[in-house]
Amino acid sequence: MSPETPSGRLHSVLELGANLRGAFADLLSQEFSYSTGHAAAILSGCLFAPSLLTFWFVNGLLDFSTAVAIGAVATPAGLQVRLLAYVLLVPTFLIARAVVHLLHPVHRAQVLDGSCPNTQLLSLDWVSMGILATGLPLALQNFGPWIGMNAVFVFGVFVLPRALPDRRAEGVKLVALVLGGLVFLYANYGATLTGVPHPSTILGPVATFSLGDATTERLFRFANSVVFGPLVIGLFGIAMNHLLTRPELAEIPVVRHTLPRRDPDAVVLTSAVFGTAFYLVVVAVVTGTLVVVP
C-alpha cells in the first residue's frame, strides 16, 4: 500500500499510534515495576521511601516524649519551635538528599538511568538528633541524676558482667538498664511522690547535685551557636553511634532489637551537623535570634 494514498497515510498514522501506545505501556510497566525504572528509584529509597514517614512519626513520638521527660525542653515555646523544625524535617531531608545525589556525577547518572545509588550519604535518624540534642544542656542542669544513672549503667553493663558467666551476665545487664532508669526517675521526680522517702535521703548528692543557671545558660548557648553547635552535636552523635552499637549492649536479648546499626562516622557527622544547622536556621526564622559565637 502506497503511503502517498489517503488509505496509506491513515495506515501509517494508525501504526504510529499503535507503536506509541505500546511504547507508553512498556514505559509504565518498567517505571512501576518493583525494582526498575525512575519511579522505583525515587520511591524505593533513593530519594524517598514511604517507610521514612513511618520512621519519622514513631521516632518523633519517642524522641519528643523522652526530651520532655528528661527536661531537654524548658518551655512550651521551645517545644513548639522544635516541633515545627521536626515537621519541616522530612521535606528538607528529602530535598537535601536529592540535591546531594544529583550533584554527584556518578549518582546522578545512576538516578537518571532508573537505579538507586548504593551509598548512604545522610541518615534521617542522625539528622533528627540534631534537632533535639541542642536541648541536652537544659536536661543536664540536674546533673546528679545523670551521674547516678550512668554509674549504674557503666558498672552493671560494662564492668560487672566481665566477672560473671555469660548466662548470668545478660540478666545482670538487663537489670542494670532498668535500675539505672529507675534511679534517674526517682532522683528527678521522687520528691513529688507521697509516701516515698525523699530522694536526697536515699541517693544523697545524686539527687541534689545540679549545675548553676549561669553554667547551664553558657552550655546551652555553646550547643546552639553556629560556630560550635553543629560540630559539637556531630561529635556527640559519633560517640553515641559507637556506644549504642557496642557488643556489650548488642548481647542483651531484649535490647538488641531496639538498637541501631552502626553507621559510618562520616554519615553520622554530616547528618548531625546538617540537622543542627537546619534547626538553628528554623530558630532564627521563628524567633529572630541567632547565636553565632557563644
Side-chain angles (χ1 to χ4, degrees):
M1 183 181 297
S2 174
E4 300 300 328
T5 63
S7 59
R9 287 195 294 269
L10 178 61
H11 177 76
S12 298
V13 171
L14 293 176
E15 184 178 10
L16 177 61
N19 291 338
L20 289 175
R21 184 180 63 181
F24 185 67
D26 290 341
L27 177 63
L28 289 180
S29 175
Q30 180 192 40
E31 286 300 315
F32 292 97
S33 65
Y34 183 75
S35 60
T36 62
H38 298 85
I42 294 173
L43 295 177
S44 67
C46 178
L47 302 181
F48 173 70
S51 59
L52 281 178
L53 296 178
T54 303
F55 170 83
W56 170 82
F57 180 75
V58 175
N59 191 64
L61 287 179
L62 295 175
D63 284 354
F64 276 92
S65 59
T66 302
V68 172
I70 66 176
V73 179
T75 63
L79 178 60
Q80 290 175 4
V81 173
R82 294 184 192 278
L83 284 173
L84 175 61
Y86 200 77
V87 168
L88 298 175
L89 174 62
V90 168
T92 304
F93 174 78
L94 295 177
I95 292 172
R97 189 162 65 170
V99 169
V100 169
H101 278 311
L102 295 177
L103 287 178
H104 193 287
V106 177
H107 294 181
R108 181 172 64 249
Q110 290 178 310
V111 172
L112 296 180
D113 284 340
S115 62
C116 187
N118 189 24
T119 304
Q120 184 185 23
L121 302 175
L122 289 173
S123 167
L124 183 61
D125 191 10
W126 296 110
V127 172
S128 65
M129 186 208 69
I131 296 177
L132 294 174
T134 51
L136 279 178
L138 300 176
L140 292 175
Q141 184 167 20
N142 293 329
F143 200 54
W146 288 95
I147 295 176
M149 178 180 67
N150 284 286
V152 174
F153 285 166
V154 170
F155 182 74
V157 175
F158 298 102
V159 178
L160 182 59
R162 295 178 182 272
L164 299 174
D166 292 341
R167 294 178 59 184
R168 294 187 60 187
E170 293 180 357
V172 169
K173 292 177 184 178
L174 187 58
V175 170
L177 292 178
V178 175
L179 182 60
L182 291 176
V183 167
F184 180 83
L185 293 175
Y186 176 60
N188 270 315
Y189 306 109
T192 63
L193 302 176
T194 57
V196 177
H198 195 278
S200 61
T201 62
I202 305 297
L203 301 177
V206 169
T208 58
F209 180 71
S210 62
L211 303 177
D213 292 340
T215 302
T216 303
E217 176 66 19
R218 284 195 294 269
L219 290 175
F220 183 78
R221 289 179 62 85
F222 185 80
N224 287 266
S225 64
V226 175
V227 174
F228 298 105
L231 180 59
V232 169
I233 300 301
L235 295 176
F236 172 75
I238 291 177
M240 295 303 296
N241 181 47
H242 284 264
L243 176 63
L244 294 176
T245 54
R246 285 189 59 86
E248 291 89 345
L249 292 173
E251 293 169 355
I252 304 175
V254 178
V255 178
R256 71 175 59 149
H257 301 293
T258 65
L259 296 176
R261 70 179 188 277
R262 178 171 293 187
D263 292 314
D265 288 344
V267 172
V268 176
L269 181 63
T270 303
S271 301
V273 167
F274 174 76
T276 306
F278 165 69
Y279 170 71
L280 295 179
V281 170
V282 173
V283 171
V285 172
V286 173
T287 65
T289 59
L290 182 65
V291 179
V292 179
V293 179

